[in-house]
Amino acid sequence: MPEKSAASNPNFRIPGQRGPRFATVEKPAEGKKTLLRLTRYFKREKRVLILLLCVVTAVVICSVLAPAMQSQSIDHIAQGEFDQLPRALAVLMGIYLLYGLGTLFQSRLSAHLSQRIVRRMRLDLFNKILTLPIRYLDRHPHGDVMSRMTNDVENISNTISQSLSSLISGVLTILGTVIMMMYYCWQLALLSCLTVILTLLATKFLSRAMRRFFRRRQELLGEINSSVEEMVTGFRTVVANNKQRDVMEEFNSASDELKRVGIFAEILGGSMGPIMNVINNIGFVIIAAVGGYFALRGWISIGLISAFIVYAKQFGRPINEIAQLYGQIQTAVAGAERVFALLDEASEDTGSGCTLPEAGGVISFRDVDFSYFPGKQVLDCFDFEVYAGHKVALVGATGSGKTTVVNLLMRFYDIDRGEIRIDGVNIRDLPLDTLRKNIAIVLQDTVLFSDTIRNNLKYGNPSATDAEMVQAAKMSNCHEMISRMPQGYDTVLAESGANLSQGQRQLLSICRAFLAGSRILILDEATSSVDTRTEKNIQDAMVRLMKDRTSIIIAHRLSTIRDADVIVVLDHGHIVESGNHEQLLARQGRYYQLYMTQFAGQAT
């Protein structure tokens, strides 16, 4: 029986090497329920799964028959039956050839099955993420959501491609080997089982000790990595405060502890291989000695002794493999549980089939209550109205509710009570794509994609012509800037537009809003992160952009909103003042205080 080499066996792991065997096993909360749900993905791949089972069964049959045929060949030589030897060797070679081809086909089928299942799972997960409400993404770390799409799904893929066929093959190999051993000599079969029991006991005790040290080593390694990252990120602060010595002492302390734990972990890990070899060799010696005695008494043939040595090795290997696969399967099921938990999240309410009038842009908040968390009211009995074509500015201290108004208007969050209307239509009755198609946003933190400038500008209106795009760029004061780039509008931007300045990104964002042609415009701190000269270009572009559009401006720089039709001052979710710039200054109220504080150069 040919043994799998370290290179060909995906579950092989050198003792002491870091890997899944000694990693922390993550256990699912509801393993049976998750496994049952995971089988639904397998049902869609019945043909591939059935074919894989057939191939695995054929490979196991070959691995079980090979030692028996090897035994016959040795007996033919021992008994001088050389005329029978070519036929036995030909059959043995055929079995080995079928085994090799079957193993290759098994690997390909496993990879094919895993990639098809994981592809469907990724599509389901990605489609779900696209329909999640903003509330969910705001309350859950983005890294955790991404981890479910990458790490968890990858664990499932690896388990299907590597562990599924190995698990089935291992179980069938154990059954087939036991049957063959009991058929030929039940006494030697029992002796082989004794060595397997010793192997399992040694593996259990050594693995428990190793897992503790390897887990501690990973924890210390994580602490050192975090310490290095923190030091590099805050290097200026460390140097400015002369803390290099303190940082070095902390690092040395953690590094010494990692060295101590690492030495114990590697010693224990390195001892696994020799101990297993000793136990296996003891088993081979026992089988050879007892088998030789049986052969001398004429109870078994010499060839059968060699077959039993192979069977004993073949019997213990899948048991160890299944024990190693257990942790990997548990981790994969735990990952599937997290994936299904995300898939079970409620999707965003897409609204009904109402439509908006062709012209308009009137926005009304009527008696609106809203809180991000129960008991912490953000807007309370909020009434607010914007007339079509008017420019309204929202000002106030941080936490006063300015951005919340925008979040509710876009239905990133749904209100607790009251209603929001656009041109007399409740936004809950509007399909989300209709609502958001009629609203364009220019944010403080501009989002640009790793694509051409052309595709970034047409993101909100893919059907726009190139002539319309160029006209929008000219209106946004960014046509000349784009023309100076190597490929003009076909220049590929880096991730998040990293190869552009903040002002250039902001101008492109304004151009994108121009091209979207929405009737309502939201400007959220669009000029807060740029210099004065760039701010002037952006403001000129914004003036053109806001013409004939209903505009809501959120601003901390009060000098940028002097020409607003209405300025609304918010404080703890309430409107405390409203009017134009001159009216509010004349009242010398809250707006006057904010304006004079900025004029004096103090922080607001």
Side-chain angles (χ1 to χ4, degrees):
M1 161 63 197
E3 286 294 315
K4 296 181 181 179
S5 66
S8 63
N9 184 2
N11 298 306
F12 180 87
R13 200 195 65 77
I14 299 172
Q17 176 183 331
R18 269 177 287 171
R21 180 170 184 177
F22 303 116
T24 303
V25 177
E26 189 173 1
K27 296 184 178 180
E30 296 181 347
K32 292 182 180 179
K33 182 179 178 181
T34 303
L35 277 173
L36 183 63
R37 186 170 178 180
L38 196 57
T39 57
R40 298 176 189 173
Y41 286 91
F42 284 91
K43 289 180 180 178
R44 301 179 186 178
E45 306 294 339
K46 286 182 180 178
R47 293 182 179 179
V48 179
L49 185 59
I50 292 173
L51 185 58
L52 176 62
L53 290 175
C54 293
V55 172
V56 169
T57 302
V59 169
V60 170
I61 291 173
C62 289
S63 68
V64 170
L65 289 179
M69 296 306 302
Q70 179 180 311
S71 171
Q72 289 186 15
S73 300
I74 294 174
D75 287 340
H76 288 321
I77 295 174
Q79 297 170 10
E81 301 172 348
F82 294 105
D83 56 331
Q84 301 291 330
L85 186 59
R87 178 177 174 276
L89 290 177
V91 172
L92 183 61
M93 184 177 295
I95 290 175
Y96 283 157
L97 181 62
L98 287 175
Y99 175 85
L101 293 175
T103 303
L104 176 62
F105 199 39
Q106 173 184 321
S107 299
R108 296 192 63 178
L109 282 174
S110 296
H112 186 68
L113 177 66
S114 70
Q115 292 306 313
R116 288 176 65 92
I117 289 175
V118 167
R119 176 183 176 274
R120 184 172 286 112
M121 186 175 290
R122 278 203 177 103
L123 285 175
D124 291 345
L125 192 57
F126 192 75
N127 289 334
K128 183 64 181 184
I129 291 174
L130 291 178
T131 63
L132 285 174
I134 299 295
R135 180 189 295 267
Y136 179 90
L137 294 174
D138 281 348
R139 292 184 177 181
H140 292 77
H142 293 177
D144 177 66
V145 177
M146 293 174 64
S147 177
R148 301 185 193 214
M149 173 66 78
T150 54
N151 295 343
D152 291 335
V153 174
E154 193 63 29
N155 283 336
I156 297 169
S157 173
N158 291 336
T159 299
I160 295 174
S161 63
Q162 299 178 6
S163 303
L164 180 63
S165 58
S166 296
L167 182 64
I168 298 172
S169 174
V171 172
L172 293 179
T173 299
I174 291 172
L175 292 176
T177 302
V178 168
I179 291 172
M180 294 296 288
M181 292 169 72
M182 295 297 291
Y183 173 76
Y184 283 113
C185 182
W186 62 268
Q187 295 94 337
L188 289 180
L190 292 178
L191 287 175
S192 299
C193 290
L194 288 177
T195 59
V196 171
I197 293 173
L198 287 176
T199 300
L200 291 176
L201 290 175
T203 301
K204 178 181 179 181
F205 288 112
L206 283 174
S207 296
R208 183 182 301 172
M210 282 186 285
R211 190 174 293 114
R212 184 174 72 253
F213 280 100
F214 274 87
R215 183 187 295 119
R216 178 57 181 159
R217 187 174 75 171
Q218 291 302 105
E219 291 172 356
L220 289 170
L221 190 60
E223 292 176 7
I224 286 179
N225 289 338
S226 298
S227 176
V228 172
E229 181 183 4
E230 188 178 57
M231 191 277 294
V232 172
T233 304
F235 183 69
R236 292 178 181 271
T237 303
V238 173
V239 174
N241 290 276
N242 292 319
K243 291 292 183 180
Q244 296 96 317
R245 185 180 296 276
D246 294 339
V247 169
M248 179 60 72
E249 290 177 356
E250 292 176 3
F251 180 84
N252 286 340
S253 177
S255 183
D256 290 342
E257 177 66 10
L258 176 62
K259 179 190 70 173
R260 186 186 67 82
V261 173
I263 289 173
F264 279 105
E266 294 298 336
I267 291 175
L268 287 172
S271 66
M272 175 67 83
I275 291 175
M276 294 299 104
N277 287 334
V278 169
I279 294 175
N280 289 334
N281 290 334
I282 291 174
F284 297 154
V285 170
I286 293 174
I287 291 173
V290 177
Y293 174 76
F294 287 173
L296 291 175
R297 299 294 297 268
W299 297 343
I300 62 174
S301 65
I302 296 176
L304 195 58
I305 299 175
S306 68
F308 257 90
I309 291 176
V310 176
Y311 279 135
K313 195 172 185 180
Q314 189 170 288
F315 182 53
R317 179 179 53 79
I319 293 177
N320 288 329
E321 284 187 358
I322 291 173
Q324 293 177 29
L325 292 175
Y326 175 76
Q328 186 177 350
I329 293 172
Q330 288 284 86
T331 301
V333 173
E337 194 172 57
R338 283 195 297 273
V339 170
F340 293 145
L342 183 56
L343 290 175
D344 290 338
E345 287 290 332
S347 296
E348 193 173 33
D349 180 15
T350 57
S352 58
C354 291
T355 58
L356 286 173
E358 287 297 325
V362 178
I363 302 170
S364 301
F365 282 68
R366 299 179 181 176
D367 200 26
V368 170
D369 287 351
F370 175 75
S371 59
Y372 290 103
F373 301 97
K376 295 183 179 180
Q377 206 75 1
V378 178
L379 297 181
D380 186 15
C381 298
F382 185 78
D383 289 297
F384 174 59
E385 187 154 0
V386 182
Y387 296 108
H390 277 215
K391 181 165 60 173
V392 175
L394 301 179
V395 301
T398 301
S400 59
K402 304 185 298 297
T403 302
T404 299
V405 172
V406 173
N407 287 339
L408 298 180
L409 179 60
M410 293 291 296
R411 280 200 67 192
F412 292 156
Y413 290 82
D414 283 326
I415 59 178
D416 299 333
R417 188 176 67 86
E419 62 180 14
I420 303 174
R421 292 179 175 268
I422 296 178
D423 295 327
V425 180
N426 193 321
I427 62 173
R428 285 181 179 268
D429 298 329
L430 286 172
L432 279 178
D433 56 349
T434 300
L435 171 67
R436 292 169 183 169
K437 185 178 180 180
N438 283 276
I439 303 175
I441 300 183
V442 179
L443 299 172
Q444 175 183 355
D445 298 322
T446 304
V447 176
L448 296 173
F449 300 97
S450 300
D451 204 340
T452 62
I453 292 177
R454 183 188 309 276
N455 290 338
N456 270 283
L457 296 183
K458 291 185 177 182
Y459 194 76
N461 185 10
S463 61
T465 64
D466 286 351
E468 291 172 335
M469 177 186 66
V470 172
Q471 180 62 25
K474 290 178 179 178
M475 297 289 288
S476 307
N477 290 339
C478 63
H479 175 68
E480 292 185 7
M481 176 261 294
I482 297 173
S483 300
R484 290 193 300 268
M485 293 188 176
Q487 285 81 39
Y489 286 87
D490 292 316
T491 300
V492 177
L493 299 179
E495 184 177 357
S496 300
N499 51 344
L500 300 177
S501 68
Q502 177 66 31
Q504 289 174 326
R505 292 197 293 268
Q506 206 65 272
L507 288 173
L508 291 180
S509 180
I510 292 173
C511 182
R512 183 165 58 192
F514 251 119
L515 208 54
S518 304
R519 69 176 74 184
I520 298 172
L521 176 66
I522 296 172
L523 301 171
D524 188 357
E525 286 296 325
T527 63
S528 63
S529 300
V530 296
D531 59 84
T532 305
R533 183 177 179 179
T534 306
E535 180 182 0
K536 180 64 170 60
N537 288 333
I538 294 176
Q539 283 183 339
D540 291 342
M542 286 166 52
V543 169
R544 300 190 192 102
L545 177 61
M546 289 185 287
K547 185 179 180 181
D548 300 327
R549 286 186 172 93
T550 302
S551 305
I552 297 177
I553 309 167
I554 298 175
H556 283 293
R557 292 186 185 179
L558 303 185
S559 60
T560 63
I561 57 170
R562 291 181 180 181
D563 60 340
D565 296 309
V566 179
I567 298 173
V568 177
V569 183
L570 297 178
D571 187 30
H572 294 93
H574 294 277
I575 297 176
V576 293
E577 282 184 322
S578 65
N580 61 35
H581 177 70
E582 289 76 15
Q583 290 171 342
L584 293 177
L585 286 182
R587 293 176 190 171
Q588 296 192 358
R590 178 62 177 159
Y591 179 79
Y592 176 83
Q593 295 173 3
L594 290 171
Y595 187 81
M596 296 307 293
T597 301
Q598 285 194 8
F599 183 76
Q602 300 174 13
T604 58

